[in-house]
Amino acid sequence: MALALRLAQRSLGRVWPNPAVGCVIVDAQGHVAGQGWTQDGGRPHAETEAIRQAGARARGGVGYVTLEPCAHHGQTGPCAEALVSAGVARVVSATEDPDPRVSGRGHARLVQAGIAVDTGVLGAEARRLNAGFLSRIKRGRPLVTLKVATTLDGRIAMTSGESKWITGPEARAHAHLMRAQHDAVLAGIGTVLADDPELTCRIDGIDHRRLVRVVVDTRARLSPDSRLCRSADRQAVWLLTAQPDAAAHLARSNVRVLPVAAGPEGIDPADALRVLASEGLTRVLVEGGAQVMTSLLRARLADRLAWYRSPAIMGQGVAAFSGLGLSGLADMPRVLRKETRVLGQDLLETCEFDT
Ligand code: AOF
Ligand code: ZN
């Protein structure tokens, strides 16, 4: 199962709206006969790949799957059915698939065919890996990770706006890898107007064209001359706006305009996430600026935090977060630190909010 989880990890950021699943088929002699993971765009499923590789060696063997095999008819037949036809004697699965089309029916089909089914093996790890998919199905919103790069004193830019570069090349390369493992990167219009970013993943050998670039732009101020607009025919750009009528100047660009409810300050963050999930996104990496970060934090809609910190002190400038309107220390959002990592001279702290 640990191997199946590692295989599943390869699919993160490449398979939305589907989950990233891994499957290992072990033959009757106990040797690995097939390994599969969900393919780009979500099909074929992991089991299809592993079963094809294993061929006749699957008969009498064991199938390890990181998610309950599907039971519905998609482009191909259900994976539960494929495991039955392949003749495995036993299936070990990590966790149930909450998709209403599956939801227990995959396991039930296997049991009905006389296959021994064990579930819950490395379940917590599997749910963590597929937190994005589970969030989309169960909460109707994607998993939200805030990414910040600051100085030791928590600043993201000088008052002048200068922010290149606070962290070093190792941390910046790592941040690009993070993008590759997400379905979308999201930035506020303030950051986009200031930096004119591309928001792509620039790592050789990684195909990142599925990464959606989302701009939160209440009044639709994005310029058709921005790098985002100019590259929108090659890689998707979605504009979340409370004033879709104001986006007429983008009609000839390939930007997709998605109307979102207005909130007290700009767009309503909960509605924005609802819209993104309904479009199929499961994992969103929020890259700035302070206003977007703060509104998500205030609404308690952030799930994870990736904090890159450089050993420098600014002593002035823009803070990563602004007024949360707390009345006391007890109200502070707190995170659980899951991992710390040194990247060159910088430090990466990976944390989870208690949501
Ligand atoms: C599996 N193995 O590798 C994946 C599964 O749109 P479809 O037909 O591809 O079905 C998508 C649903 O299938 C998805 O919502 C989830 O329930 C399941 N994904 N199932 O057996 C896989 N990716
Ligand atoms: Zn399937």
Side-chain angles (χ1 to χ4, degrees):
M1 187 62 81
L3 171 58
L5 280 167
R6 288 189 75 98
L7 298 174
Q9 192 152 14
R10 300 180 181 188
S11 307
L12 287 179
R14 316 175 65 113
V15 296
W16 64 272
N18 277 6
V21 179
C23 174
V24 174
I25 307 278
V26 173
D27 68 15
Q29 281 71 48
H31 297 133
V32 171
Q35 305 183 42
W37 55 94
T38 312
Q39 298 295 292
D40 287 5
R43 281 271 171 182
H45 286 180
E47 295 87 333
T48 312
E49 292 289 296
I51 291 169
R52 186 176 52 77
Q53 250 182 45
R57 288 173 66 198
R59 199 150 294 280
V62 182
Y64 292 86
V65 286
T66 63
L67 187 72
E68 174 183 9
C70 67
H72 65 285
H73 286 266
Q75 278 166 38
T76 53
C79 290
E81 214 53 60
L83 286 162
V84 172
S85 309
V88 295
R90 181 173 166 234
V91 168
V92 182
S93 96
T95 190
E96 244 192 39
D97 182 351
D99 187 305
R101 293 170 296 175
V102 186
S103 190
R105 279 190 279 274
H107 288 151
R109 174 68 191 106
L110 297 170
V111 171
Q112 187 199 8
I115 293 174
V117 176
D118 290 308
T119 187
V121 175
L122 295 184
E125 288 81 353
R127 283 187 290 276
R128 193 148 185 271
L129 182 89
N130 262 316
F133 172 75
L134 300 177
S135 174
R136 176 173 82 71
I137 298 283
K138 291 185 177 172
R139 305 190 294 189
R141 71 168 179 85
L143 183 83
V144 173
T145 300
L146 308 183
K147 181 228 133 179
V148 277
T150 74
T151 57
L152 275 182
D153 52 336
R155 312 280 176 172
I156 57 171
M158 300 278 284
T159 316
S160 66
E162 186 184 348
S163 63
K164 289 190 172 99
W165 296 105
I166 287 178
T167 51
E170 296 87 351
R172 298 205 307 274
H174 189 273
H176 277 256
L177 183 64
M178 287 263 297
R179 285 178 180 172
Q181 294 175 339
H182 285 78
D183 306 342
V185 280
L186 179 149
I189 186 65
T191 301
V192 170
L193 291 177
D195 299 351
D196 194 19
E198 243 174 294
L199 300 177
T200 50
C201 163
R202 293 182 291 279
I203 299 180
D204 285 348
I206 292 187
D207 179 3
H208 59 267
R209 278 168 300 178
R210 243 184 111 67
L211 181 72
V212 178
R213 292 147 329 142
V214 180
V215 181
V216 174
D217 187 1
T218 311
R219 286 173 285 139
R221 292 185 292 155
L222 183 68
S223 159
D225 300 323
S226 60
R227 289 163 123 183
L228 282 171
C229 273
R230 282 188 281 125
S231 59
D233 55 335
R234 277 162 279 145
Q235 195 176 336
V237 176
W238 296 357
L239 194 82
L240 298 178
T241 180
Q243 297 177 15
D245 295 345
H249 65 291
L250 298 171
R252 281 212 306 280
S253 70
N254 284 287
V255 172
R256 201 158 156 222
V257 177
L258 297 169
V260 171
E265 352 151 28
I267 66 168
D268 173 6
D271 196 52
L273 295 182
R274 183 192 60 77
V275 167
L276 295 180
S278 70
E279 294 297 329
L281 296 185
T282 68
R283 293 165 62 84
V284 173
L285 185 67
V286 179
E287 298 216 14
Q291 201 189 324
V292 171
M293 299 278 183
T294 304
S295 73
L296 287 165
L297 199 53
R298 268 197 174 163
R300 311 274 158 161
L301 288 169
D303 300 298
R304 294 182 184 175
L305 183 64
W307 194 294
Y308 299 88
R309 192 150 49 120
S310 79
I313 297 165
M314 206 181 282
Q316 50 159 330
V318 187
F321 296 95
S322 51
L324 291 174
L326 307 180
S327 48
L329 289 183
D331 295 341
M332 287 194 299
R334 282 192 176 271
V335 291
L336 292 174
R337 194 183 283 111
K338 291 289 177 181
E339 196 190 340
T340 57
R341 195 162 159 184
V342 174
L343 296 164
Q345 281 296 304
D346 302 323
L347 191 67
L348 168 60
E349 290 173 81
T350 307
C351 311
E352 285 181 11
F353 287 91
D354 191 12
T355 49

